[in-house]
Amino acid sequence: MTKRFLLFSDTHGRNAAVAYVLKTYGPFDGAVFCGDGQGLENELRNMPGCPAEIFMVAGNCDYYTTLNEDAVFPLGNHKVFLTHGSKYALRRDLNTLASFAEKNGCDLCFFGHTHIPADETVHGVRCINPGSLGLPRQEPAFPAFVILAVEEDGNITAEFCRLKNITGI
């Protein structure tokens, strides 16, 4: 049976967008958050439809949090490096980030910080940025997230999604 994970980032306190995605696109078997929630970690578990399995890291705008900056965990037949990304020179390229993930034995990396969706393989590491649910920066700007499908054989596919014409979030 395929498992579905919500991959999202950079909500910046706009938690209504997260609640909308959970309600509209769920149910999810797990969630992965790449940081800059500005208190989201305190509310996420209480949102209707929030899955029990959650992986979260702190971003550069998460000032009063106990979340770690980086995490490593298995997902399907992959090992994931999870980070916000602000300390990995992302504005230049993904080389530093991919090298750090590779040094941690990871073949998959989830990150945020740029607020722009991306899916690029560097040094054999697939690096996925879901974009921002709170403050998108790509043109045209739209709140974005990813639905990860973890297949029975352990393979993972990523479906990039966007919210359109949503008011009140």
Side-chain angles (χ1 to χ4, degrees):
M1 183 165 106
T2 300
K3 290 188 175 187
R4 298 174 75 237
F5 282 75
L6 171 62
L7 173 62
F8 66 110
S9 188
D10 295 284
T11 56
H12 291 279
R14 287 153 180 88
N15 296 344
V18 180
Y20 178 84
V21 169
L22 289 170
K23 176 183 173 187
T24 307
Y25 293 86
F28 295 101
D29 298 293
V32 181
F33 181 62
C34 303
D36 273 0
Q38 296 177 270
L40 175 68
E41 69 270 20
N42 299 321
E43 296 182 33
L44 182 60
R45 292 192 190 282
N46 294 322
M47 289 182 181
C50 181
E53 187 172 18
I54 302 173
F55 302 97
M56 297 173 59
V57 292
N60 59 304
C61 293
D62 292 321
Y63 302 113
Y64 305 104
T65 184
T66 59
L67 294 173
N68 293 325
E69 290 183 341
D70 301 323
V72 174
F73 61 93
L75 188 64
N77 61 7
H78 299 273
K79 190 173 177 185
V80 176
F81 179 68
L82 174 63
T83 187
H84 182 61
S86 52
K87 62 183 185 180
Y88 296 102
L90 297 176
R91 304 251 187 251
R92 188 177 42 214
D93 57 41
L94 297 179
N95 286 321
T96 302
L97 177 64
S99 293
F100 197 87
E102 187 179 30
K103 288 176 187 170
N104 280 277
C106 299
D107 63 330
L108 194 54
C109 177
F110 301 145
F111 69 101
H113 187 59
T114 66
H115 297 221
I116 298 171
D119 186 352
E120 187 177 337
T121 300
V122 179
H123 303 301
V125 177
R126 185 177 181 193
C127 300
I128 298 176
N129 184 331
S132 173
L133 267 178
L135 298 170
R137 291 185 182 148
Q138 77 278 19
E139 291 295 332
F142 51 82
F145 62 97
V146 169
I147 297 175
L148 300 169
V150 182
E151 306 294 337
E152 285 184 42
D153 64 4
N155 287 321
I156 296 175
T157 58
E159 176 188 357
F160 283 78
C161 304
R162 62 191 269 179
L163 299 182
K164 300 183 257 186
N165 303 323
I166 304 299
T167 57
I169 58 172

